Amino acid sequence: MAKLNAAAWVRSYAALIDQRAAELTALDAAIGDADHGINMQRGLAAAVAALADAPGASATEVCKQTGMILVRTVGGASGPLYGTFFLRVADGLESGTDVTTFAKAFRAGLEAVMARGKAERGDKTMVDALAPAADCLDRQLAVGSGPATALEAAVAAAEAGRKATAPMQARKGRASYLGERSVGHIDPGAMSAMLLVRAARQALR
Ligand code: ADP
Ligand code: MG
């Protein structure tokens, strides 16, 4: 059974963020301050660089280190939130990296983001991509899907969640200052959160 390789997850996430940085920044230019792509690029580059200093680190150690670096280097609203996500996932992966354990850790990460950011589903944030992915993972595992199938479906759920942020009015973060003018744009954090799930799919070994 394939397991999640945490270092591969961080590396894949950094690569996807690099590929889509301009798009993330363009989304943030529409309803924020045009820094989400560059913020995430800076943070993930630092996280990847730190992996080289910790060869053979456990999944928990990798996620803990990544979380601390993201809190420190991403900045904005998203840095502390993604940092919190990885720190909580780190705890969840102490008991293993099989997909069932990962699904529990992922949900714990989502709950930590929601507690820290006080965002609910429908507030037009990263939660709107993370939450459907967590639900999808649970559903897939409940019906006996294998790791690749479950994560593939979770990527599709996060992607649908990302798209569904367009008609929402932002109720959290900088975009909420725009009120009704935030409607009609995809949330940048929902886009980067979808990439986080896609990176996990790529990190099954
Ligand atoms: P900033 O808005 O401070 O410039 P970023 O541009 O890096 O930070 O990140 C913006 C993203 O952060 C938003 O698109 C949204 O998805 C997410 N975000 C902002 N506030 C919250 C919150 N309270 N809860 C969850 N996500 C949030
Ligand atoms: Mg911003």
Side-chain angles (χ1 to χ4, degrees):
M1 273 289 208
K3 294 187 172 190
L4 183 94
N5 180 304
W9 187 19
V10 175
R11 286 199 178 92
S12 286
Y13 193 32
L16 290 172
I17 289 288
D18 267 340
Q19 284 164 22
R20 310 293 283 270
E23 196 179 333
L24 289 169
T25 287
L27 293 174
D28 198 29
I31 57 169
D33 57 354
D35 65 355
H36 190 55
I38 196 77
N39 285 349
M40 294 296 286
Q41 247 182 331
R42 183 174 59 241
L44 269 303
V48 167
L51 291 177
D53 302 330
S58 70
T60 294
E61 286 160 353
V62 164
C63 291
K64 192 160 286 173
Q65 172 175 283
T66 299
M68 290 186 309
I69 289 171
L70 295 184
V71 169
R72 227 174 28 237
T73 60
V74 175
S78 60
L81 292 167
Y82 277 120
T84 298
F85 175 85
F86 272 97
L87 289 170
R88 189 61 65 89
V89 168
D91 291 338
L93 296 182
E94 249 159 28
S95 48
T97 54
D98 58 278
V99 72
T100 304
T101 308
F102 175 69
K104 283 194 196 126
F106 189 93
R107 180 166 297 282
L110 162 69
E111 284 168 359
V113 166
M114 293 176 76
R116 172 123 196 196
K118 309 225 167 0
E120 298 292 334
R121 296 172 194 232
D123 286 350
K124 196 180 181 99
T125 70
M126 60 176 72
V127 168
D128 293 307
L130 294 174
D135 291 349
C136 181
L137 270 179
D138 286 347
R139 271 198 312 274
Q140 288 287 321
L141 296 172
V143 300
S145 297
T149 306
L151 270 161
E152 203 73 64
V155 174
E159 175 59 18
R162 173 190 78 87
K163 284 202 186 122
T165 62
M168 293 175 185
Q169 179 171 333
R171 286 193 289 254
K172 283 288 178 300
R174 208 177 278 281
S176 67
Y177 309 156
L178 292 179
E180 283 175 11
R181 282 182 296 135
S182 65
V183 173
H185 304 276
I186 284 173
D187 177 63
M191 168 91 196
S192 57
M194 179 276 287
L195 298 176
L196 178 68
V197 182
R198 181 169 291 170
R201 164 69 188 94
Q202 294 175 353
L204 284 181
R205 295 284 187 277

